[in-house]
Amino acid sequence: MASEPAARAVAEEIGRWACLKQTGVSLRYMMEFGSRPTERNLLLSAQFLHKELPIRIARRALELEYLPYGLSNKPAILKVRDWYLDSFRDIRYFPEVRNQNDELAFTEMIKMIKVRHNNVVPTIASGVQQLNQELCSTRKVHPGFDEINQFLDRFYMSRIGIRMLIGQHVALHDPDPEPGVIGLINTRLSPVQIARIACEDARSICLREYGSAPDINIYGDPNFTFPYVASHLHLMLFELVKNSLRAVQERYMNSDKDVPPVRIIVADGEEDVTIKVSDEGGGIARSGLPKIFTYLYSTAKNPPDLDGPNEGSTMAGYGFGLPICRLYAQYFGGDLQIISMEGYGTDAYLHLSRLGDSEEPLP
């Protein structure tokens, strides 16, 4: 446990760094810079991160101190705050990066920081869920409180950026990258291929949970490629397909009718690559549509307990899937739109900017 003067000094330093200006980067810049992972470029990248990461981490650590409705005092939020404080200290106390040995040591350190923050999403979710249950039981405030949603949007968008910057720098050290891969960015990514992998992963969970799973039909040119981050696209498609499979499965579980397939269409436009995930799972009521991008709203009949053993492995959601999917799409200038027809089904339109010029949003 840090002494009180030491803790106060860290708090003051976080306050100073949180006031500094963040520097955004674009997908195109990451590709151009990373295409030449020389010792000099890796050193420049580490020096940039040594200055940039403390600013971004300090902003989130400071915000965690001043959340409304007593959320800052929930044990789960305090745990996440401590992770951010530890990471801020690690980077600030790391000496100036001057040479290759420094750069390699710095890379190992930020790699450990990325691991430390692996469970931020479910941990934050457990704290918000606890607050939500308390407020609902006391009827103090409507459970869709806007301030919390705005905080979570800022927090998770920043987290995506921090993990992208760290992951890109670490991945540039790969001595034998796949052809066309620059760090985390695949310059020749096939959305049809990623859709197939995401569908297999989502169907395997559906099969385990229900004993069967609807078919999935994918339409699009498998040879079409564009530059994007494979892990981001997989995460978004996996979540969207999982939602569709669950909706269709639950609608037709006790029906004699043929189960309609989930359909995925990949379209290559001049400005966007658009992927539509379409189902006949009964749709969402019009009154529920404004809530689908708010946290802790779920169309699942029985959302799982976040304290249970099944985090990340069930068909039902915690209400964080769609809003986080949209943030991943927006991070590189895209978007996610949901159009639903109650009594029939839902179409999710995932727009991915293929221009690569948009700088990351800096909350």
Side-chain angles (χ1 to χ4, degrees), residues 10-221:
V10 170
E12 290 173 358
E13 191 172 10
I14 281 177
R16 286 195 300 272
W17 278 83
C19 293
L20 298 178
K21 188 172 185 257
Q22 301 172 96
T23 303
V25 294
S26 67
L27 181 67
R28 185 184 300 279
Y29 178 79
M30 288 190 213
M31 284 192 296
E32 290 174 353
F33 184 87
S35 64
R36 303 177 302 280
T38 60
E39 284 184 17
R40 172 173 165 72
N41 276 357
L42 291 173
L43 183 62
L44 290 171
S45 174
Q47 289 168 343
F48 168 72
L49 294 180
H50 194 231
K51 291 181 173 64
E52 180 67 17
L53 291 176
I55 300 173
R56 299 190 182 203
I57 290 170
R59 287 186 174 216
R60 303 287 72 85
L62 194 63
E63 194 167 31
L64 286 166
E65 295 275 6
Y66 300 105
L67 299 178
Y69 309 120
L71 182 58
S72 293
N73 298 320
K74 299 297 176 198
I77 305 302
L78 291 171
K79 181 189 290 188
V80 173
R81 185 205 64 186
D82 288 345
W83 290 340
Y84 275 77
L85 291 176
D86 288 344
S87 297
F88 179 82
R89 286 192 204 97
D90 286 348
I91 299 173
R92 285 296 299 128
Y93 294 162
F94 194 93
E96 190 175 349
V97 182
R98 296 176 179 274
N99 54 47
Q100 186 187 16
N101 288 337
D102 293 345
E103 187 275 320
L104 291 172
F106 178 80
T107 300
E108 287 303 311
M109 186 264 293
I110 60 173
K111 196 187 298 186
M112 291 304 298
I113 285 176
K114 190 166 183 276
V115 172
R116 175 186 289 149
H117 291 252
N118 277 348
N119 291 319
V120 161
V121 173
T123 307
I124 288 273
S126 67
V128 176
Q129 186 187 60
Q130 182 186 0
L131 175 67
N132 191 49
Q133 290 167 347
E134 290 173 4
L135 293 175
C136 287
S137 65
T138 59
R139 299 180 181 274
K140 283 185 180 176
V141 68
H142 188 276
F145 33 104
D146 291 337
E147 282 181 87
I148 300 293
N149 284 304
Q150 290 166 11
F151 154 70
L152 291 169
D153 273 343
R154 289 192 303 272
F155 190 88
Y156 288 131
M157 182 64 86
S158 175
R159 180 177 185 268
I160 292 168
I162 289 169
R163 294 180 76 79
M164 181 67 203
L165 291 180
I166 293 176
Q168 179 71 2
H169 178 81
V170 170
L172 287 176
H173 288 75
D174 185 350
D176 188 27
E178 293 181 26
V181 172
I182 300 172
L184 296 180
I185 304 162
N186 188 339
T187 62
R188 300 196 292 269
L189 183 70
S190 165
V192 169
Q193 183 181 2
I194 297 296
R196 286 172 180 161
I197 296 169
C199 289
E200 288 175 13
D201 293 343
R203 283 193 90 245
S204 69
I205 292 177
C206 189
L207 284 165
R208 187 176 68 225
E209 187 131 331
Y210 296 105
S212 62
D215 290 333
I216 304 173
N217 297 334
I218 302 175
Y219 305 93
D221 180 1

Side-chain angles (χ1 to χ4, degrees), residues 282-299:
I284 302 166
R286 188 158 54 94
S287 61
L289 282 173
K291 305 174 192 170
I292 59 175
F293 289 115
T294 61
Y295 297 87
L296 292 178
Y297 173 79
S298 175
T299 56

Side-chain angles (χ1 to χ4, degrees), residues 192-263:
V192 169
Q193 183 181 2
I194 297 296
R196 286 172 180 161
I197 296 169
C199 289
E200 288 175 13
D201 293 343
R203 283 193 90 245
S204 69
I205 292 177
C206 189
L207 284 165
R208 187 176 68 225
E209 187 131 331
Y210 296 105
S212 62
D215 290 333
I216 304 173
N217 297 334
I218 302 175
Y219 305 93
D221 180 1
N223 296 316
F224 161 64
T225 64
F226 79 118
Y228 209 74
V229 179
S231 59
H232 288 194
L233 183 54
H234 179 276
L235 180 149
M236 292 184 281
L237 286 176
F238 172 76
E239 184 65 31
L240 295 174
V241 171
K242 183 162 66 78
N243 287 350
S244 288
L245 289 175
R246 176 177 57 77
V248 172
Q249 187 67 28
E250 292 188 353
R251 189 184 190 201
Y252 288 88
M253 200 182 312
N254 300 313
S255 171
D256 294 332
K257 297 179 181 177
D258 291 338
V259 178
V262 172
R263 295 176 300 282

